[in-house]
Amino acid sequence: MTTTIWIVVAALALLLLALSLKVVKQYEQGVLFRLGRVIGVKKAGLTAIIPFVDVLHRVSLRIITMPIQSQGIITRDNVSVDVSAVAYYRVTEAVKSVVAIENVEAAINQIAQTTLRKVVGQHTLDETLSETDRINLNIREILDVATEEWGVAVTLVELKDIQLPESMKRAMARQAEAEREKRAKIIAAEGEALAADALGTAADIMMAHPLALQLRNLQSLVELGVDKNSTVVFPAPLMSTIGELGSFLARENAAATRNATATPPNVTATPAPDQLPSQPAPNGKALPAGVTT
């Protein structure tokens, strides 16, 4: 009988010892309640409590990832979009996170959804797509103010996905295509302008230096020879031929004009015999033209 009592007492002692010893992990803090009142915060390590009197509530201090489910939002320019996000937060004050609010994770999730709808609804669609950094910052600042009383700090908020209606996707695709075509045409026009300017400069140089055209012709022959062509038809220098022809015609016209207008010096024109005036004969008869007495 005595042995049985000692066994029971030892078992009760071991049970009380197991109930009184608690382990707080490195990433946790323990909020200790005694008879319903907070009496302190226990750090990481082995902690002794009074069984059935004290209650140790462990709080994780690690960063928690909380997905924000997709929200149907109407932007400022009346476009319906579905936006989902993700938030990162951690507990900074263990006592507040336990005492100030019943379920801190559920509370942060709900306020994050409402804040997401509020902030995105104040921006247009273009701003939502292009200024995500500013939207993320605005959401985080609003959540920080709301969760400060709960002993929670929101470290980061990121928009994860933005779903657009199919009609809006097609319209944006057409807009992007038109924008690319406009830029392509502008670039092509600028290239044509630069090419025309360069060709004009090259033409001026070749006109000033006729030998440059011959060198360019030889270079063209070398480039054609790379393709291993059996026959090469290459035109004569057109600019030189036209210039020489023009000079020849100008010289011929000048010579013809001088020959037509010039008169030899000290030369008296002799009229034709039929153009000489008739002279009277001694007997009163007229003599034939060109006959004198």
Side-chain angles (χ1 to χ4, degrees):
M1 185 67 181
T2 304
T3 305
T4 305
I5 293 175
W6 281 108
I7 293 174
V8 172
V9 171
L12 291 176
L14 291 174
L15 179 61
L16 290 176
L17 182 62
L19 293 176
S20 62
L21 296 178
K22 300 293 182 181
V23 176
V24 179
K25 297 179 180 179
Q26 183 65 38
Y27 56 84
E28 293 178 338
Q29 282 187 354
V31 181
L32 183 60
F33 291 86
R34 178 167 294 170
L35 298 177
R37 295 182 60 185
V38 177
I39 62 172
V41 177
K42 298 298 181 179
K43 303 295 182 179
L46 185 63
T47 301
I49 64 173
I50 302 174
F52 308 109
V53 177
D54 295 342
V55 176
L56 184 66
H57 189 88
R58 297 181 181 87
V59 178
S60 176
L61 302 181
R62 293 181 295 182
I63 295 177
I64 300 174
T65 302
M66 182 188 65
I68 304 174
Q69 64 183 3
S70 180
Q71 304 293 312
I73 305 172
I74 298 178
T75 60
R76 194 175 66 184
D77 51 351
N78 297 325
V79 178
S80 178
V81 295
D82 293 332
V83 182
S84 61
V86 59
Y88 299 86
Y89 70 92
R90 64 183 181 88
V91 177
T92 56
E93 299 182 31
V95 176
K96 285 185 178 181
S97 67
V98 176
V99 176
I101 191 166
E102 180 180 0
N103 189 337
V104 65
E105 183 176 357
I108 294 176
N109 190 9
Q110 293 299 319
I111 195 172
Q113 293 181 18
T114 57
T115 304
L116 177 63
R117 287 195 295 267
K118 176 182 177 181
V119 174
V120 175
Q122 295 175 353
H123 295 79
T124 62
L125 178 60
D126 292 338
E127 293 174 350
T128 304
L129 296 176
S130 61
E131 300 181 4
T132 55
D133 292 340
R134 185 161 64 91
I135 295 176
N136 295 335
L137 182 60
N138 293 340
I139 296 175
R140 189 181 68 82
E141 291 176 350
I142 295 174
L143 291 179
D144 272 340
V145 174
T147 59
E148 183 179 3
E149 298 179 356
W150 306 338
V152 176
V154 179
T155 59
L156 183 64
V157 177
E158 290 288 341
L159 297 182
K160 186 169 62 175
D161 188 20
I162 301 176
Q163 294 291 335
L164 302 176
E166 291 298 328
S167 58
M168 183 58 63
K169 290 181 181 179
R170 291 193 295 269
M172 293 178 66
R174 291 194 300 269
Q175 179 183 0
E177 183 178 0
E179 182 68 22
R180 290 189 180 92
E181 289 181 356
K182 182 187 75 172
R183 285 185 293 180
K185 291 180 179 178
I186 291 175
I187 293 173
E190 292 176 352
E192 291 292 338
L194 294 175
D197 189 14
L199 288 175
T201 303
D204 293 339
I205 294 174
M206 289 185 180
M207 289 296 294
H209 304 280
L211 185 58
L213 182 59
Q214 299 295 336
L215 295 176
R216 187 69 184 93
N217 293 340
L218 295 176
Q219 181 65 30
S220 299
L221 286 175
V222 173
E223 294 175 358
L224 291 174
V226 175
D227 296 334
K228 298 181 181 180
N229 294 325
S230 59
T231 304
V232 177
V233 178
F234 197 78
L238 183 60
M239 300 299 296
S240 299
T241 304
I242 293 176
E244 293 174 359
L245 181 59
S247 300
F248 174 77
L249 293 177
R251 289 195 301 269
E252 291 295 322
N253 290 332
T257 303
R258 286 196 303 268
N259 292 334
T261 57
T263 300
N266 301 324
V267 176
T268 302
T270 303
D274 53 354
Q275 295 180 356
L276 293 174
S278 57
Q279 296 180 0
N283 54 4
K285 295 182 180 181
L287 295 176
V291 180
T292 58
T293 58

